[in-house]
Short mmCIF file of all heavy atoms in Angstrom, two decimals:
data_model
loop_
_atom_site.label_atom_id
_atom_site.label_comp_id
_atom_site.label_asym_id
_atom_site.label_seq_id
_atom_site.Cartn_x
_atom_site.Cartn_y
_atom_site.Cartn_z
N GLN A 36 15.27 -6.71 86.12
CA GLN A 36 14.34 -7.27 85.08
C GLN A 36 13.39 -8.30 85.75
O GLN A 36 13.84 -8.97 86.67
CB GLN A 36 15.16 -7.96 84.00
CG GLN A 36 16.17 -7.07 83.24
CD GLN A 36 15.38 -6.02 82.43
OE1 GLN A 36 14.25 -6.28 81.95
NE2 GLN A 36 16.02 -4.91 82.24
N GLY A 37 12.16 -8.26 85.28
CA GLY A 37 11.17 -9.27 85.84
C GLY A 37 10.80 -9.10 87.23
O GLY A 37 10.30 -10.11 87.85
N VAL A 38 10.87 -7.89 87.76
CA VAL A 38 10.40 -7.63 89.08
C VAL A 38 9.55 -6.43 89.13
O VAL A 38 9.52 -5.57 88.24
CB VAL A 38 11.76 -7.34 90.07
CG1 VAL A 38 12.55 -8.60 90.15
CG2 VAL A 38 12.42 -6.20 89.69
N ALA A 39 8.78 -6.30 90.21
CA ALA A 39 7.89 -5.18 90.51
C ALA A 39 8.31 -4.67 91.99
O ALA A 39 8.77 -5.47 92.77
CB ALA A 39 6.47 -5.50 90.48
N LEU A 40 8.15 -3.39 92.16
CA LEU A 40 8.52 -2.85 93.53
C LEU A 40 7.24 -2.34 94.12
O LEU A 40 6.39 -1.68 93.48
CB LEU A 40 9.51 -1.68 93.37
CG LEU A 40 10.90 -2.01 92.96
CD1 LEU A 40 11.80 -0.81 92.98
CD2 LEU A 40 11.52 -3.10 93.72
N ALA A 41 7.13 -2.51 95.39
CA ALA A 41 6.20 -1.84 96.30
C ALA A 41 7.02 -1.03 97.26
O ALA A 41 7.88 -1.47 97.94
CB ALA A 41 5.25 -2.83 96.94
N VAL A 42 6.59 0.28 97.35
CA VAL A 42 7.20 1.19 98.43
C VAL A 42 6.09 1.52 99.43
O VAL A 42 5.12 2.09 99.05
CB VAL A 42 7.75 2.39 97.71
CG1 VAL A 42 8.29 3.51 98.78
CG2 VAL A 42 8.87 2.05 96.91
N ASP A 43 6.30 1.19 100.76
CA ASP A 43 5.37 1.48 101.76
C ASP A 43 3.98 0.93 101.31
O ASP A 43 2.98 1.58 101.61
CB ASP A 43 5.30 2.92 102.14
CG ASP A 43 6.66 3.37 102.68
OD1 ASP A 43 7.36 2.68 103.27
OD2 ASP A 43 6.90 4.67 102.46
N GLY A 44 3.90 -0.27 100.73
CA GLY A 44 2.65 -0.99 100.44
C GLY A 44 2.09 -0.55 99.12
O GLY A 44 1.03 -1.07 98.77
N ALA A 45 2.58 0.40 98.37
CA ALA A 45 2.00 0.90 97.13
C ALA A 45 2.97 0.50 95.90
O ALA A 45 4.18 0.55 96.09
CB ALA A 45 1.75 2.35 97.10
N VAL A 46 2.38 0.20 94.77
CA VAL A 46 3.12 -0.08 93.59
C VAL A 46 4.01 1.06 93.30
O VAL A 46 3.55 2.22 93.33
CB VAL A 46 2.19 -0.52 92.44
CG1 VAL A 46 3.05 -0.69 91.09
CG2 VAL A 46 1.51 -1.76 92.77
N PHE A 47 5.23 0.91 92.94
CA PHE A 47 6.21 1.98 92.53
C PHE A 47 6.63 1.57 91.15
O PHE A 47 7.35 0.65 90.80
CB PHE A 47 7.41 1.89 93.47
CG PHE A 47 8.28 3.13 93.45
CD1 PHE A 47 7.93 4.23 94.04
CD2 PHE A 47 9.41 3.18 92.63
CE1 PHE A 47 8.70 5.40 94.19
CE2 PHE A 47 10.17 4.28 92.64
CZ PHE A 47 9.87 5.42 93.33
N SER A 48 6.13 2.36 90.14
CA SER A 48 6.29 1.99 88.76
C SER A 48 7.82 2.14 88.33
O SER A 48 8.45 3.04 88.80
CB SER A 48 5.44 2.88 87.91
OG SER A 48 5.86 4.22 87.93
N LYS A 49 8.13 1.42 87.33
CA LYS A 49 9.55 1.28 86.86
C LYS A 49 9.98 2.64 86.22
O LYS A 49 11.19 3.04 86.32
CB LYS A 49 9.67 0.26 85.75
CG LYS A 49 11.10 -0.21 85.46
CD LYS A 49 11.24 -1.48 84.82
CE LYS A 49 12.62 -1.94 84.80
NZ LYS A 49 12.78 -3.35 84.40
N SER A 50 9.03 3.47 85.71
CA SER A 50 9.32 4.74 85.18
C SER A 50 9.86 5.66 86.31
O SER A 50 10.44 6.73 86.05
CB SER A 50 8.02 5.46 84.54
OG SER A 50 6.97 5.60 85.50
N ARG A 51 9.68 5.30 87.59
CA ARG A 51 10.14 6.16 88.77
C ARG A 51 11.49 5.68 89.40
O ARG A 51 11.84 6.28 90.31
CB ARG A 51 9.02 6.28 89.80
CG ARG A 51 7.81 6.85 89.23
CD ARG A 51 6.74 6.99 90.25
NE ARG A 51 7.18 7.80 91.53
CZ ARG A 51 6.66 7.76 92.74
NH1 ARG A 51 5.58 6.92 92.92
NH2 ARG A 51 7.10 8.41 93.62
N TRP A 52 12.03 4.63 88.76
CA TRP A 52 13.17 3.97 89.42
C TRP A 52 14.44 4.91 89.40
O TRP A 52 15.37 4.64 90.14
CB TRP A 52 13.52 2.70 88.75
CG TRP A 52 12.55 1.59 89.17
CD1 TRP A 52 11.32 1.68 89.81
CD2 TRP A 52 12.78 0.16 88.91
NE1 TRP A 52 10.78 0.40 89.96
CE2 TRP A 52 11.69 -0.48 89.38
CE3 TRP A 52 13.82 -0.52 88.43
CZ2 TRP A 52 11.53 -1.84 89.40
CZ3 TRP A 52 13.71 -1.86 88.33
CH2 TRP A 52 12.53 -2.60 88.87
N ASP A 53 14.39 5.91 88.66
CA ASP A 53 15.61 6.90 88.71
C ASP A 53 15.44 7.94 89.74
O ASP A 53 16.34 8.91 89.87
CB ASP A 53 15.88 7.52 87.27
CG ASP A 53 16.42 6.43 86.31
OD1 ASP A 53 17.23 5.60 86.74
OD2 ASP A 53 15.93 6.40 85.13
N GLU A 54 14.30 7.83 90.43
CA GLU A 54 14.04 8.96 91.53
C GLU A 54 14.93 8.54 92.79
O GLU A 54 15.20 7.29 92.99
CB GLU A 54 12.57 8.98 91.95
CG GLU A 54 11.72 9.49 90.80
CD GLU A 54 10.20 9.56 91.15
OE1 GLU A 54 9.92 9.35 92.32
OE2 GLU A 54 9.44 9.72 90.18
N PRO A 55 15.21 9.50 93.63
CA PRO A 55 15.94 9.12 94.85
C PRO A 55 15.17 8.33 95.86
O PRO A 55 13.99 8.50 95.92
CB PRO A 55 16.39 10.49 95.45
CG PRO A 55 15.59 11.43 94.77
CD PRO A 55 15.09 10.92 93.55
N VAL A 56 15.79 7.43 96.56
CA VAL A 56 15.09 6.63 97.58
C VAL A 56 14.98 7.58 98.77
O VAL A 56 15.77 8.43 99.16
CB VAL A 56 16.13 5.50 98.03
CG1 VAL A 56 15.62 4.78 99.30
CG2 VAL A 56 16.28 4.51 96.83
N GLY A 57 13.77 7.51 99.38
CA GLY A 57 13.43 8.29 100.56
C GLY A 57 13.85 7.63 101.85
O GLY A 57 13.84 6.34 101.96
N ARG A 58 14.14 8.38 102.80
CA ARG A 58 14.49 7.95 104.18
C ARG A 58 13.37 7.18 104.76
O ARG A 58 12.23 7.69 104.67
CB ARG A 58 14.86 9.02 105.10
CG ARG A 58 16.34 9.49 104.87
CD ARG A 58 16.74 10.50 105.99
NE ARG A 58 18.17 10.87 105.75
CZ ARG A 58 18.55 11.80 104.90
NH1 ARG A 58 17.61 12.41 104.16
NH2 ARG A 58 19.76 12.06 104.67
N GLY A 59 13.59 5.97 105.33
CA GLY A 59 12.56 5.27 106.00
C GLY A 59 11.69 4.51 105.17
O GLY A 59 10.66 3.89 105.70
N TRP A 60 11.89 4.43 103.87
CA TRP A 60 11.00 3.63 102.98
C TRP A 60 11.15 2.19 103.23
O TRP A 60 12.12 1.72 103.71
CB TRP A 60 11.46 3.83 101.48
CG TRP A 60 10.93 5.05 100.89
CD1 TRP A 60 10.27 6.16 101.33
CD2 TRP A 60 11.09 5.34 99.51
NE1 TRP A 60 10.05 7.06 100.44
CE2 TRP A 60 10.55 6.59 99.26
CE3 TRP A 60 11.70 4.70 98.44
CZ2 TRP A 60 10.64 7.26 97.98
CZ3 TRP A 60 11.69 5.37 97.14
CH2 TRP A 60 11.12 6.56 96.98
N THR A 61 10.03 1.52 103.14
CA THR A 61 9.97 0.03 103.20
C THR A 61 9.62 -0.41 101.79
O THR A 61 8.56 -0.11 101.22
CB THR A 61 8.92 -0.54 104.17
OG1 THR A 61 9.14 0.01 105.51
CG2 THR A 61 8.75 -1.99 104.10
N ILE A 62 10.69 -1.17 101.20
CA ILE A 62 10.66 -1.57 99.80
C ILE A 62 10.53 -3.04 99.76
O ILE A 62 11.30 -3.76 100.32
CB ILE A 62 11.86 -1.14 99.03
CG1 ILE A 62 11.99 0.34 99.11
CG2 ILE A 62 11.86 -1.57 97.62
CD1 ILE A 62 13.32 1.02 98.66
N GLU A 63 9.60 -3.49 98.98
CA GLU A 63 9.48 -4.96 98.63
C GLU A 63 9.75 -5.24 97.16
O GLU A 63 9.18 -4.51 96.34
CB GLU A 63 8.06 -5.53 98.96
CG GLU A 63 7.79 -5.49 100.47
CD GLU A 63 8.52 -6.23 101.28
OE1 GLU A 63 9.01 -7.39 100.91
OE2 GLU A 63 8.88 -5.90 102.52
N VAL A 64 10.74 -6.01 96.93
CA VAL A 64 10.97 -6.45 95.61
C VAL A 64 10.30 -7.76 95.25
O VAL A 64 10.58 -8.79 95.99
CB VAL A 64 12.48 -6.60 95.40
CG1 VAL A 64 12.89 -6.95 93.89
CG2 VAL A 64 13.23 -5.36 95.70
N LEU A 65 9.38 -7.70 94.33
CA LEU A 65 8.54 -8.88 94.07
C LEU A 65 8.75 -9.44 92.70
O LEU A 65 8.93 -8.70 91.69
CB LEU A 65 7.06 -8.32 94.03
CG LEU A 65 6.59 -7.50 95.23
CD1 LEU A 65 5.27 -6.85 95.06
CD2 LEU A 65 6.55 -8.38 96.45
N THR A 66 8.88 -10.74 92.64
CA THR A 66 9.11 -11.48 91.37
C THR A 66 7.91 -12.30 91.03
O THR A 66 7.24 -12.78 91.93
CB THR A 66 10.30 -12.42 91.48
OG1 THR A 66 10.15 -13.36 92.50
CG2 THR A 66 11.58 -11.62 91.73
N ALA A 67 7.62 -12.41 89.81
CA ALA A 67 6.48 -13.31 89.33
C ALA A 67 6.83 -14.73 89.51
O ALA A 67 7.87 -15.21 89.24
CB ALA A 67 6.27 -12.98 87.79
N VAL A 68 5.82 -15.44 89.95
CA VAL A 68 5.93 -16.92 90.27
C VAL A 68 4.94 -17.56 89.28
O VAL A 68 3.78 -17.29 89.29
CB VAL A 68 5.70 -17.27 91.79
CG1 VAL A 68 5.78 -18.71 91.93
CG2 VAL A 68 6.58 -16.56 92.63
N GLN A 69 5.50 -18.55 88.61
CA GLN A 69 4.63 -19.28 87.62
C GLN A 69 4.12 -20.50 88.33
O GLN A 69 4.86 -21.09 89.14
CB GLN A 69 5.44 -19.58 86.38
CG GLN A 69 4.59 -19.88 85.27
CD GLN A 69 5.57 -19.91 83.87
OE1 GLN A 69 6.72 -20.01 84.03
NE2 GLN A 69 4.91 -19.98 82.78
#
Side-chain angles (χ1 to χ4, degrees):
Q36 300 291 330
V38 298
L40 294 184
V42 174
D43 296 331
V46 173
F47 195 82
S48 68
K49 197 164 193 167
S50 65
R51 298 181 59 198
W52 285 16
D53 290 318
E54 294 180 14
V56 172
R58 279 188 178 83
W60 280 7
T61 298
I62 301 170
E63 295 296 327
V64 181
L65 310 166
T66 57
V68 177
Q69 202 170 10

